[in-house]
Structures are given as structure tokens and as C-alpha cells.
Amino acid sequence: DAKIGNMLLGAVRYPMTCHPKDVLEAQSKNREWLFFGDVQVRGTYPAWIQRYFRENGVELTITAQDKDDLSHTVDFVSFSYYMSGCATFEPEKYQSSRGNIIRLIPNPHLEASEWGWQIDPEGLRFLLNELYDRYQKPLFIVENGLGARDVVEEDGSIHDSYRIDYLRRHLIQVREAIDDGVELLGYTSWGPIDLVSAGTAQMSKRYGFIHVDRDDDGKGTLERRRKDSFYWYQDVINSN
């Protein structure tokens, strides 16, 4: 009776302008990661990827056994969401920035973290609605968080109000999406405790509710300290 889900990188792209070619480019960029969900939820290769294969000389040998294997689809869709970006058919006109494993054109209407990851709580609501409209499957947010530099005060406290603000604003939009009718199984942040950032190999880019005494050179006592966000998130869980 176990439920099996997948994992998508929620890399939302908005069209940079209302030019129809920008809209089509944003659709194309979003399909680059939605492709995996299309196969895992629907059990078939979508028509648009088959056109891409034809035009790019990709030939697949798909057996009857392969088709049977693909027919066993996921029960729910899980995904990560940290930020959004823009897409355009004229990328040479704009500077791009790197976020996670993809390159995005920054949205001029959004603020960004120290690492250039743009902060877009409403984008999470948009993504939840887009995925639910597309797949009609329960959703699960399995990664969401803010990488930031934390300062340990003399008394050992860590006042990470910026992290609390980020998470609060995103959870408000999660609530809105639920009211929109999205079926959401759960939410887990990235992550409960500081660890080496997978994107930059830095310890100083911290995500956790719990601080770990370790620096980018691997030095430190590994002592753990609860940040302000720890107590705030504890209240969020207790009060729903």
C-alpha cells in the first residue's frame, strides 16, 4: 500500500516580455524539466518531445516491455522550489545568473539572495497550481529554503529573521494554493541542519534551523546551536 512519488526540479520560467516568442521560449524552457514528470505521471513520451527527437536525430528503441514498465506511474509528484527566473528568445540582451543546476535570466521585479537566487513566494503558488492542473495528482514540496550567511552572537544566539521571512512568505502562498484547490500531501524545508551546499560546496551558505560550527575549510567544533528559525518553525508545526 506504499505510495511512490518522483522528484522534479521546480525551475519556473516566466516570459521576459509579452512578446509571443518570449512566451514560447518560456514554455520550452519549462518543458525541459516538466518532461520527466510528463513521463513519470502519464507513462508515455509526450508529442512535443517526440518532435524534438525527430528534429535532433534521436532514435529510441522502445520495446513492449519498456512500454509496460512506463505504464506503472507515480502516485504523487514531489518537487523542489527555491526560485524562479525568466526566459527570452533574445538571451544576448540580458545577463544570466546561475541557480542550482540551471541558468536563469533574473526577473527585474524580484529581490535576490547573496548568491543571486531570486526570492519569489508567489512563484510557489503558481507552480503548485501549474503542476496540479497538469497532472491532477497529489503534490509534495520536498525542498524549499534560503541559503544565507549566519552570524553567531557572543551569547551563542543566531538571529536569522531573513530565513523566517523567506519561509513564512512561501508558506503563506502554499496556504493560498491549498485554498485554490491544490491537493498537497506535505512540505519539508531544505534543510533542518546546516550542511555543505551542494551547489557551491560552501558551508557558509547555510540553510538549516540548526547551526553547525564548521567553516568552508572544514574547520570547527561541529557544535550545534538552535537558530531563531528553529523556534519559529517549531511553532509553525505545532500550530499548523
mmCIF file with all atom_site columns, all heavy atoms in Angstrom, residues 114-131:
data_model
loop_
_atom_site.group_PDB
_atom_site.id
_atom_site.type_symbol
_atom_site.label_atom_id
_atom_site.label_alt_id
_atom_site.label_comp_id
_atom_site.label_asym_id
_atom_site.label_entity_id
_atom_site.label_seq_id
_atom_site.pdbx_PDB_ins_code
_atom_site.Cartn_x
_atom_site.Cartn_y
_atom_site.Cartn_z
_atom_site.occupancy
_atom_site.B_iso_or_equiv
_atom_site.pdbx_formal_charge
_atom_site.auth_seq_id
_atom_site.auth_comp_id
_atom_site.auth_asym_id
_atom_site.auth_atom_id
_atom_site.pdbx_PDB_model_num
ATOM 1   N N   . GLU A 1 114 ? 22.150 36.571 -1.526  1.00 0.00 ? 114 GLU A N   1
ATOM 2   C CA  . GLU A 1 114 ? 23.554 36.908 -1.776  1.00 0.00 ? 114 GLU A CA  1
ATOM 3   C C   . GLU A 1 114 ? 24.126 36.093 -2.931  1.00 0.00 ? 114 GLU A C   1
ATOM 4   O O   . GLU A 1 114 ? 25.049 36.536 -3.614  1.00 0.00 ? 114 GLU A O   1
ATOM 5   C CB  . GLU A 1 114 ? 24.363 36.656 -0.500  1.00 0.00 ? 114 GLU A CB  1
ATOM 6   C CG  . GLU A 1 114 ? 25.842 36.970 -0.628  1.00 0.00 ? 114 GLU A CG  1
ATOM 7   C CD  . GLU A 1 114 ? 26.603 36.709 0.659   1.00 0.00 ? 114 GLU A CD  1
ATOM 8   O OE1 . GLU A 1 114 ? 25.959 36.566 1.725   1.00 0.00 ? 114 GLU A OE1 1
ATOM 9   O OE2 . GLU A 1 114 ? 27.838 36.643 0.599   1.00 0.00 ? 114 GLU A OE2 1
ATOM 10  N N   . TRP A 1 115 ? 23.585 34.920 -3.156  1.00 0.00 ? 115 TRP A N   1
ATOM 11  C CA  . TRP A 1 115 ? 24.079 34.049 -4.230  1.00 0.00 ? 115 TRP A CA  1
ATOM 12  C C   . TRP A 1 115 ? 23.296 34.236 -5.534  1.00 0.00 ? 115 TRP A C   1
ATOM 13  O O   . TRP A 1 115 ? 23.439 33.453 -6.463  1.00 0.00 ? 115 TRP A O   1
ATOM 14  C CB  . TRP A 1 115 ? 24.043 32.597 -3.788  1.00 0.00 ? 115 TRP A CB  1
ATOM 15  C CG  . TRP A 1 115 ? 25.187 32.264 -2.888  1.00 0.00 ? 115 TRP A CG  1
ATOM 16  C CD1 . TRP A 1 115 ? 26.406 31.741 -3.256  1.00 0.00 ? 115 TRP A CD1 1
ATOM 17  C CD2 . TRP A 1 115 ? 25.263 32.445 -1.468  1.00 0.00 ? 115 TRP A CD2 1
ATOM 18  N NE1 . TRP A 1 115 ? 27.213 31.594 -2.152  1.00 0.00 ? 115 TRP A NE1 1
ATOM 19  C CE2 . TRP A 1 115 ? 26.550 32.013 -1.044  1.00 0.00 ? 115 TRP A CE2 1
ATOM 20  C CE3 . TRP A 1 115 ? 24.388 32.939 -0.512  1.00 0.00 ? 115 TRP A CE3 1
ATOM 21  C CZ2 . TRP A 1 115 ? 26.952 32.055 0.295   1.00 0.00 ? 115 TRP A CZ2 1
ATOM 22  C CZ3 . TRP A 1 115 ? 24.784 32.986 0.817   1.00 0.00 ? 115 TRP A CZ3 1
ATOM 23  C CH2 . TRP A 1 115 ? 26.063 32.549 1.197   1.00 0.00 ? 115 TRP A CH2 1
ATOM 24  N N   . GLY A 1 116 ? 22.452 35.236 -5.586  1.00 0.00 ? 116 GLY A N   1
ATOM 25  C CA  . GLY A 1 116 ? 21.737 35.542 -6.819  1.00 0.00 ? 116 GLY A CA  1
ATOM 26  C C   . GLY A 1 116 ? 20.479 34.727 -7.049  1.00 0.00 ? 116 GLY A C   1
ATOM 27  O O   . GLY A 1 116 ? 19.891 34.794 -8.128  1.00 0.00 ? 116 GLY A O   1
ATOM 28  N N   . TRP A 1 117 ? 20.056 33.968 -6.064  1.00 0.00 ? 117 TRP A N   1
ATOM 29  C CA  . TRP A 1 117 ? 18.832 33.187 -6.202  1.00 0.00 ? 117 TRP A CA  1
ATOM 30  C C   . TRP A 1 117 ? 17.658 34.103 -5.897  1.00 0.00 ? 117 TRP A C   1
ATOM 31  O O   . TRP A 1 117 ? 17.529 34.606 -4.767  1.00 0.00 ? 117 TRP A O   1
ATOM 32  C CB  . TRP A 1 117 ? 18.847 31.986 -5.261  1.00 0.00 ? 117 TRP A CB  1
ATOM 33  C CG  . TRP A 1 117 ? 19.856 30.938 -5.633  1.00 0.00 ? 117 TRP A CG  1
ATOM 34  C CD1 . TRP A 1 117 ? 21.044 31.115 -6.277  1.00 0.00 ? 117 TRP A CD1 1
ATOM 35  C CD2 . TRP A 1 117 ? 19.749 29.541 -5.372  1.00 0.00 ? 117 TRP A CD2 1
ATOM 36  N NE1 . TRP A 1 117 ? 21.695 29.921 -6.433  1.00 0.00 ? 117 TRP A NE1 1
ATOM 37  C CE2 . TRP A 1 117 ? 20.925 28.935 -5.886  1.00 0.00 ? 117 TRP A CE2 1
ATOM 38  C CE3 . TRP A 1 117 ? 18.790 28.743 -4.760  1.00 0.00 ? 117 TRP A CE3 1
ATOM 39  C CZ2 . TRP A 1 117 ? 21.151 27.564 -5.804  1.00 0.00 ? 117 TRP A CZ2 1
ATOM 40  C CZ3 . TRP A 1 117 ? 19.020 27.371 -4.666  1.00 0.00 ? 117 TRP A CZ3 1
ATOM 41  C CH2 . TRP A 1 117 ? 20.188 26.791 -5.190  1.00 0.00 ? 117 TRP A CH2 1
ATOM 42  N N   . GLN A 1 118 ? 16.786 34.304 -6.864  1.00 0.00 ? 118 GLN A N   1
ATOM 43  C CA  . GLN A 1 118 ? 15.701 35.258 -6.687  1.00 0.00 ? 118 GLN A CA  1
ATOM 44  C C   . GLN A 1 118 ? 14.600 34.698 -5.789  1.00 0.00 ? 118 GLN A C   1
ATOM 45  O O   . GLN A 1 118 ? 14.280 33.501 -5.845  1.00 0.00 ? 118 GLN A O   1
ATOM 46  C CB  . GLN A 1 118 ? 15.142 35.654 -8.047  1.00 0.00 ? 118 GLN A CB  1
ATOM 47  C CG  . GLN A 1 118 ? 16.153 36.475 -8.857  1.00 0.00 ? 118 GLN A CG  1
ATOM 48  C CD  . GLN A 1 118 ? 15.492 37.260 -9.941  1.00 0.00 ? 118 GLN A CD  1
ATOM 49  O OE1 . GLN A 1 118 ? 15.062 36.689 -10.933 1.00 0.00 ? 118 GLN A OE1 1
ATOM 50  N NE2 . GLN A 1 118 ? 15.417 38.577 -9.769  1.00 0.00 ? 118 GLN A NE2 1
ATOM 51  N N   . ILE A 1 119 ? 14.031 35.569 -4.990  1.00 0.00 ? 119 ILE A N   1
ATOM 52  C CA  . ILE A 1 119 ? 13.044 35.178 -3.980  1.00 0.00 ? 119 ILE A CA  1
ATOM 53  C C   . ILE A 1 119 ? 11.652 35.480 -4.519  1.00 0.00 ? 119 ILE A C   1
ATOM 54  O O   . ILE A 1 119 ? 11.293 36.637 -4.726  1.00 0.00 ? 119 ILE A O   1
ATOM 55  C CB  . ILE A 1 119 ? 13.319 35.916 -2.659  1.00 0.00 ? 119 ILE A CB  1
ATOM 56  C CG1 . ILE A 1 119 ? 14.720 35.539 -2.151  1.00 0.00 ? 119 ILE A CG1 1
ATOM 57  C CG2 . ILE A 1 119 ? 12.247 35.575 -1.625  1.00 0.00 ? 119 ILE A CG2 1
ATOM 58  C CD1 . ILE A 1 119 ? 15.181 36.359 -0.954  1.00 0.00 ? 119 ILE A CD1 1
ATOM 59  N N   . ASP A 1 120 ? 10.862 34.439 -4.729  1.00 0.00 ? 120 ASP A N   1
ATOM 60  C CA  . ASP A 1 120 ? 9.570  34.569 -5.398  1.00 0.00 ? 120 ASP A CA  1
ATOM 61  C C   . ASP A 1 120 ? 8.533  33.670 -4.738  1.00 0.00 ? 120 ASP A C   1
ATOM 62  O O   . ASP A 1 120 ? 8.213  32.593 -5.239  1.00 0.00 ? 120 ASP A O   1
ATOM 63  C CB  . ASP A 1 120 ? 9.730  34.215 -6.885  1.00 0.00 ? 120 ASP A CB  1
ATOM 64  C CG  . ASP A 1 120 ? 8.443  34.355 -7.670  1.00 0.00 ? 120 ASP A CG  1
ATOM 65  O OD1 . ASP A 1 120 ? 7.491  34.977 -7.158  1.00 0.00 ? 120 ASP A OD1 1
ATOM 66  O OD2 . ASP A 1 120 ? 8.382  33.833 -8.801  1.00 0.00 ? 120 ASP A OD2 1
ATOM 67  N N   . PRO A 1 121 ? 7.982  34.079 -3.593  1.00 0.00 ? 121 PRO A N   1
ATOM 68  C CA  . PRO A 1 121 ? 6.981  33.245 -2.925  1.00 0.00 ? 121 PRO A CA  1
ATOM 69  C C   . PRO A 1 121 ? 5.762  32.958 -3.793  1.00 0.00 ? 121 PRO A C   1
ATOM 70  O O   . PRO A 1 121 ? 5.256  31.833 -3.812  1.00 0.00 ? 121 PRO A O   1
ATOM 71  C CB  . PRO A 1 121 ? 6.606  34.078 -1.693  1.00 0.00 ? 121 PRO A CB  1
ATOM 72  C CG  . PRO A 1 121 ? 7.781  34.972 -1.456  1.00 0.00 ? 121 PRO A CG  1
ATOM 73  C CD  . PRO A 1 121 ? 8.306  35.287 -2.808  1.00 0.00 ? 121 PRO A CD  1
ATOM 74  N N   . GLU A 1 122 ? 5.294  33.988 -4.526  1.00 0.00 ? 122 GLU A N   1
ATOM 75  C CA  . GLU A 1 122 ? 4.125  33.776 -5.379  1.00 0.00 ? 122 GLU A CA  1
ATOM 76  C C   . GLU A 1 122 ? 4.412  32.740 -6.462  1.00 0.00 ? 122 GLU A C   1
ATOM 77  O O   . GLU A 1 122 ? 3.498  32.061 -6.941  1.00 0.00 ? 122 GLU A O   1
ATOM 78  C CB  . GLU A 1 122 ? 3.691  35.094 -6.022  1.00 0.00 ? 122 GLU A CB  1
ATOM 79  C CG  . GLU A 1 122 ? 2.993  36.058 -5.093  1.00 0.00 ? 122 GLU A CG  1
ATOM 80  C CD  . GLU A 1 122 ? 3.951  36.849 -4.221  1.00 0.00 ? 122 GLU A CD  1
ATOM 81  O OE1 . GLU A 1 122 ? 5.194  36.735 -4.415  1.00 0.00 ? 122 GLU A OE1 1
ATOM 82  O OE2 . GLU A 1 122 ? 3.475  37.599 -3.349  1.00 0.00 ? 122 GLU A OE2 1
ATOM 83  N N   . GLY A 1 123 ? 5.680  32.599 -6.825  1.00 0.00 ? 123 GLY A N   1
ATOM 84  C CA  . GLY A 1 123 ? 6.042  31.588 -7.812  1.00 0.00 ? 123 GLY A CA  1
ATOM 85  C C   . GLY A 1 123 ? 5.743  30.184 -7.330  1.00 0.00 ? 123 GLY A C   1
ATOM 86  O O   . GLY A 1 123 ? 5.458  29.281 -8.139  1.00 0.00 ? 123 GLY A O   1
ATOM 87  N N   . LEU A 1 124 ? 5.808  29.971 -6.020  1.00 0.00 ? 124 LEU A N   1
ATOM 88  C CA  . LEU A 1 124 ? 5.489  28.646 -5.478  1.00 0.00 ? 124 LEU A CA  1
ATOM 89  C C   . LEU A 1 124 ? 4.003  28.352 -5.630  1.00 0.00 ? 124 LEU A C   1
ATOM 90  O O   . LEU A 1 124 ? 3.614  27.236 -5.984  1.00 0.00 ? 124 LEU A O   1
ATOM 91  C CB  . LEU A 1 124 ? 5.917  28.564 -4.009  1.00 0.00 ? 124 LEU A CB  1
ATOM 92  C CG  . LEU A 1 124 ? 5.653  27.236 -3.301  1.00 0.00 ? 124 LEU A CG  1
ATOM 93  C CD1 . LEU A 1 124 ? 6.229  26.055 -4.068  1.00 0.00 ? 124 LEU A CD1 1
ATOM 94  C CD2 . LEU A 1 124 ? 6.216  27.278 -1.876  1.00 0.00 ? 124 LEU A CD2 1
ATOM 95  N N   . ARG A 1 125 ? 3.176  29.356 -5.376  1.00 0.00 ? 125 ARG A N   1
ATOM 96  C CA  . ARG A 1 125 ? 1.729  29.172 -5.602  1.00 0.00 ? 125 ARG A CA  1
ATOM 97  C C   . ARG A 1 125 ? 1.459  28.886 -7.069  1.00 0.00 ? 125 ARG A C   1
ATOM 98  O O   . ARG A 1 125 ? 0.674  27.988 -7.409  1.00 0.00 ? 125 ARG A O   1
ATOM 99  C CB  . ARG A 1 125 ? 0.966  30.413 -5.151  1.00 0.00 ? 125 ARG A CB  1
ATOM 100 C CG  . ARG A 1 125 ? -0.536 30.325 -5.387  1.00 0.00 ? 125 ARG A CG  1
ATOM 101 C CD  . ARG A 1 125 ? -1.222 31.623 -5.008  1.00 0.00 ? 125 ARG A CD  1
ATOM 102 N NE  . ARG A 1 125 ? -2.662 31.563 -5.238  1.00 0.00 ? 125 ARG A NE  1
ATOM 103 C CZ  . ARG A 1 125 ? -3.497 32.590 -5.063  1.00 0.00 ? 125 ARG A CZ  1
ATOM 104 N NH1 . ARG A 1 125 ? -3.008 33.762 -4.647  1.00 0.00 ? 125 ARG A NH1 1
ATOM 105 N NH2 . ARG A 1 125 ? -4.788 32.459 -5.304  1.00 0.00 ? 125 ARG A NH2 1
ATOM 106 N N   . PHE A 1 126 ? 2.107  29.641 -7.940  1.00 0.00 ? 126 PHE A N   1
ATOM 107 C CA  . PHE A 1 126 ? 1.951  29.436 -9.387  1.00 0.00 ? 126 PHE A CA  1
ATOM 108 C C   . PHE A 1 126 ? 2.347  28.010 -9.761  1.00 0.00 ? 126 PHE A C   1
ATOM 109 O O   . PHE A 1 126 ? 1.634  27.328 -10.500 1.00 0.00 ? 126 PHE A O   1
ATOM 110 C CB  . PHE A 1 126 ? 2.815  30.449 -10.137 1.00 0.00 ? 126 PHE A CB  1
ATOM 111 C CG  . PHE A 1 126 ? 2.902  30.212 -11.616 1.00 0.00 ? 126 PHE A CG  1
ATOM 112 C CD1 . PHE A 1 126 ? 1.877  30.625 -12.460 1.00 0.00 ? 126 PHE A CD1 1
ATOM 113 C CD2 . PHE A 1 126 ? 4.002  29.571 -12.182 1.00 0.00 ? 126 PHE A CD2 1
ATOM 114 C CE1 . PHE A 1 126 ? 1.954  30.408 -13.826 1.00 0.00 ? 126 PHE A CE1 1
ATOM 115 C CE2 . PHE A 1 126 ? 4.083  29.350 -13.542 1.00 0.00 ? 126 PHE A CE2 1
ATOM 116 C CZ  . PHE A 1 126 ? 3.057  29.766 -14.370 1.00 0.00 ? 126 PHE A CZ  1
ATOM 117 N N   . LEU A 1 127 ? 3.489  27.553 -9.249  1.00 0.00 ? 127 LEU A N   1
ATOM 118 C CA  . LEU A 1 127 ? 3.978  26.219 -9.587  1.00 0.00 ? 127 LEU A CA  1
ATOM 119 C C   . LEU A 1 127 ? 3.039  25.139 -9.075  1.00 0.00 ? 127 LEU A C   1
ATOM 120 O O   . LEU A 1 127 ? 2.749  24.167 -9.784  1.00 0.00 ? 127 LEU A O   1
ATOM 121 C CB  . LEU A 1 127 ? 5.381  26.022 -9.009  1.00 0.00 ? 127 LEU A CB  1
ATOM 122 C CG  . LEU A 1 127 ? 6.013  24.643 -9.195  1.00 0.00 ? 127 LEU A CG  1
ATOM 123 C CD1 . LEU A 1 127 ? 6.093  24.270 -10.669 1.00 0.00 ? 127 LEU A CD1 1
ATOM 124 C CD2 . LEU A 1 127 ? 7.396  24.603 -8.560  1.00 0.00 ? 127 LEU A CD2 1
ATOM 125 N N   . LEU A 1 128 ? 2.569  25.280 -7.855  1.00 0.00 ? 128 LEU A N   1
ATOM 126 C CA  . LEU A 1 128 ? 1.636  24.294 -7.301  1.00 0.00 ? 128 LEU A CA  1
ATOM 127 C C   . LEU A 1 128 ? 0.386  24.174 -8.174  1.00 0.00 ? 128 LEU A C   1
ATOM 128 O O   . LEU A 1 128 ? -0.081 23.065 -8.474  1.00 0.00 ? 128 LEU A O   1
ATOM 129 C CB  . LEU A 1 128 ? 1.250  24.683 -5.876  1.00 0.00 ? 128 LEU A CB  1
ATOM 130 C CG  . LEU A 1 128 ? 2.313  24.413 -4.801  1.00 0.00 ? 128 LEU A CG  1
ATOM 131 C CD1 . LEU A 1 128 ? 2.010  25.209 -3.535  1.00 0.00 ? 128 LEU A CD1 1
ATOM 132 C CD2 . LEU A 1 128 ? 2.389  22.925 -4.486  1.00 0.00 ? 128 LEU A CD2 1
ATOM 133 N N   . ASN A 1 129 ? -0.140 25.303 -8.597  1.00 0.00 ? 129 ASN A N   1
ATOM 134 C CA  . ASN A 1 129 ? -1.329 25.272 -9.447  1.00 0.00 ? 129 ASN A CA  1
ATOM 135 C C   . ASN A 1 129 ? -1.022 24.696 -10.822 1.00 0.00 ? 129 ASN A C   1
ATOM 136 O O   . ASN A 1 129 ? -1.819 23.935 -11.380 1.00 0.00 ? 129 ASN A O   1
ATOM 137 C CB  . ASN A 1 129 ? -1.920 26.677 -9.577  1.00 0.00 ? 129 ASN A CB  1
ATOM 138 C CG  . ASN A 1 129 ? -2.835 27.039 -8.416  1.00 0.00 ? 129 ASN A CG  1
ATOM 139 O OD1 . ASN A 1 129 ? -4.003 26.680 -8.407  1.00 0.00 ? 129 ASN A OD1 1
ATOM 140 N ND2 . ASN A 1 129 ? -2.303 27.736 -7.435  1.00 0.00 ? 129 ASN A ND2 1
ATOM 141 N N   . GLU A 1 130 ? 0.147  25.051 -11.381 1.00 0.00 ? 130 GLU A N   1
ATOM 142 C CA  . GLU A 1 130 ? 0.515  24.541 -12.688 1.00 0.00 ? 130 GLU A CA  1
ATOM 143 C C   . GLU A 1 130 ? 0.668  23.014 -12.677 1.00 0.00 ? 130 GLU A C   1
ATOM 144 O O   . GLU A 1 130 ? 0.185  22.318 -13.568 1.00 0.00 ? 130 GLU A O   1
ATOM 145 C CB  . GLU A 1 130 ? 1.822  25.183 -13.155 1.00 0.00 ? 130 GLU A CB  1
ATOM 146 C CG  . GLU A 1 130 ? 1.679  26.589 -13.676 1.00 0.00 ? 130 GLU A CG  1
ATOM 147 C CD  . GLU A 1 130 ? 0.973  26.640 -15.023 1.00 0.00 ? 130 GLU A CD  1
ATOM 148 O OE1 . GLU A 1 130 ? 1.527  26.126 -16.018 1.00 0.00 ? 130 GLU A OE1 1
ATOM 149 O OE2 . GLU A 1 130 ? -0.158 27.185 -15.064 1.00 0.00 ? 130 GLU A OE2 1
ATOM 150 N N   . LEU A 1 131 ? 1.354  22.509 -11.655 1.00 0.00 ? 131 LEU A N   1
ATOM 151 C CA  . LEU A 1 131 ? 1.567  21.062 -11.573 1.00 0.00 ? 131 LEU A CA  1
ATOM 152 C C   . LEU A 1 131 ? 0.255  20.314 -11.330 1.00 0.00 ? 131 LEU A C   1
ATOM 153 O O   . LEU A 1 131 ? 0.018  19.242 -11.907 1.00 0.00 ? 131 LEU A O   1
ATOM 154 C CB  . LEU A 1 131 ? 2.575  20.738 -10.468 1.00 0.00 ? 131 LEU A CB  1
ATOM 155 C CG  . LEU A 1 131 ? 4.023  21.148 -10.735 1.00 0.00 ? 131 LEU A CG  1
ATOM 156 C CD1 . LEU A 1 131 ? 4.879  20.864 -9.507  1.00 0.00 ? 131 LEU A CD1 1
ATOM 157 C CD2 . LEU A 1 131 ? 4.592  20.427 -11.962 1.00 0.00 ? 131 LEU A CD2 1
#
